[in-house]
Amino acid sequence: MRERPDSAPELLMVERAQGMAFAGGALVFPGGRIDDGDRSLAADEASAAAVAAIRETVEETAIPAGLDPVPDQTLSIQLQRELLADDPFGALLQRHGLRLELDSLIPFARWVPKFHSTRRFDTLFFLASAPAPLREPRVVEGECSGASWITAAEALERDRVGDARLIFPTRRNLERIALHESFEALRADAQAHAIEPITPWVEEIGGENFITIPEGIGYPVTRERLDGLWRG
């Protein structure tokens, strides 16, 4: 998240390539799977997820969140290229004199949907403040088809008018983020709610099926009609 004096805070979001097996073309937050190299740099699985979040954000956008000292634009692009060439993240950190600042990533939510019969997702979402100076994301073909800074309200509006596509967890997270006008307010919200697995379920209300999540965990919208819902 980066704060702007003339607007609501902006979020770094990417558009998944159309050909991807899951959620092709969806507007999502940077991220990806945890690999063994991430685990080698972490004390536990939650920390490994934070390492993966930092690595994937650099790989997909060249935005160096969670690194100290903050790499300049030239080094950030070099790190992106080296990661895309499959250079081990740990070796890159050592080579360039960088340290992971895992504490700068604040756990925000954990989603564990179970609607797909062949794919299972256990996804941790983190909140991080954008490193200064502010910079634009750099997209590499094959990683994603686009990346931009956008407010939560703008992302939701793009989805509403059909200019972007959101899957259920992304939409719910954006609605929650849109409630807050600063990074500190969102940090307080994240710290006020336990990070428990959120597994949506289907329930019938008034003869219609809805995908539902628990109430009281920070989300202003807790259900959406199943009919016509795109789940990636």
Side-chain angles (χ1 to χ4, degrees), residues 158-205:
R158 284 187 59 190
D159 176 60
R160 187 189 70 81
V161 302
D163 187 44
R165 303 184 80 185
L166 299 173
I167 57 174
F168 185 84
T170 307
R171 187 180 294 111
R172 299 289 83 86
N173 281 327
L174 286 168
E175 289 162 347
R176 180 177 171 188
I177 292 167
L179 296 175
H180 304 285
E181 297 183 353
S182 70
F183 177 82
E184 288 305 319
L186 190 55
R187 180 210 295 267
D189 174 85
Q191 294 175 339
H193 297 92
I195 307 300
E196 300 291 345
I198 300 171
T199 301
W201 69 91
V202 177
E203 65 178 358
E204 184 178 325
I205 303 173

Side-chain angles (χ1 to χ4, degrees), residues 40-92:
S40 72
L41 298 171
D44 52 37
E45 196 70 2
S47 297
V51 175
I54 294 169
R55 175 181 54 77
E56 290 279 358
T57 301
V58 174
E59 190 171 312
E60 293 182 353
T61 69
I63 300 295
L67 295 179
D68 180 58
V70 177
D72 62 17
Q73 182 76 350
T74 300
L75 179 53
S76 296
I77 292 172
Q78 183 176 345
L79 286 169
Q80 183 186 45
R81 288 172 175 157
E82 290 171 331
L83 285 170
L84 290 170
D86 292 328
D87 286 7
F89 193 29
L92 293 180

Side-chain angles (χ1 to χ4, degrees), residues 131-146:
L134 299 182
R135 62 190 76 177
E136 296 305 310
R138 177 179 183 268
V139 172
V140 175
E141 186 177 355
E143 281 296 300
C144 48
S145 59

Side-chain angles (χ1 to χ4, degrees), residues 116-140:
H116 286 267
S117 59
T118 58
R119 288 173 177 262
R120 290 288 183 265
F121 296 88
D122 186 344
T123 304
L124 277 165
F125 293 87
F126 295 95
L127 172 67
S129 181
L134 299 182
R135 62 190 76 177
E136 296 305 310
R138 177 179 183 268
V139 172
V140 175

